[in-house]
Structures are given as structure tokens and as C-alpha cells.
Amino acid sequence: MTINTQAVEWLQARAIDPETASRMGIYTAGRGPDGEPWPDPAGNILVFPYIEGGSEVNAKYRTMGEKRFWQRKDARKTFFNADV
């Protein structure tokens, strides 16, 4: 999955190294036909995947424009980067 140029600039403006974000699995998404975020290199949503046992069990989302946060509905609660 990828992080687009807009997201790289957004991360850098917050002193977050885009390479580190990529290693953590963070990627960009857009709204799918059902309104839920889907991986999209041109999207304006940052996806923070929550990995447990090597599988994504949850994801939290943040828009890069208007400040909005939400997470996947009914997903397992766990710590970010728990596998480390």
C-alpha cells in the first residue's frame, strides 16, 4: 500500500518521517462505494492499521483535510503496533 504526496507533506508538517509511517503500515485511502475507506493511492484518508498476530484486526482513520477520526466498526480493540 502507498502513501501519496499529499499525505507525505501532511506527515512531514507534523514531524513524522514518511518512511517510518510506511514501515508501520500506514497508507492512504478514499471512500469506497459503500462509504467505507478503501486503499487508494490518491485518497485523502490516512489509515493506521492495527496488526495483531500478523493480521490487520482493526484500522483507525484520519482525514487530512477536515480533522475527523473514526475506526472500523465492531473491530477488535488492541494497541497500535502491538506485534512489536
Side-chain angles (χ1 to χ4, degrees):
M1 309 232 192
T2 61
I3 299 175
N4 64 37
T5 305
Q6 177 189 9
V8 167
E9 291 170 1
W10 186 91
L11 291 165
Q12 288 174 329
R14 285 151 186 80
I16 300 168
D17 180 32
E19 185 177 316
T20 300
S22 182
R23 280 196 316 266
M24 300 297 289
I26 297 168
Y27 59 94
T28 53
R31 296 271 184 190
D34 60 357
E36 291 299 312
W38 291 91
D40 179 359
N44 68 340
I45 299 168
L46 278 174
V47 180
F48 298 82
Y50 281 60
I51 309 296
E52 193 172 271
S55 298
E56 187 174 310
V57 297
N58 196 353
K60 292 195 178 175
Y61 310 104
R62 194 224 194 265
T63 57
M64 290 184 284
E66 178 186 348
K67 189 175 184 178
R68 293 190 53 226
F69 302 91
W70 71 101
Q71 67 182 9
R72 191 176 296 149
K73 185 179 180 182
D74 299 325
R76 184 178 340 163
K77 305 290 189 226
T78 189
F79 293 102
F80 185 73
N81 203 22
D83 277 0
V84 174

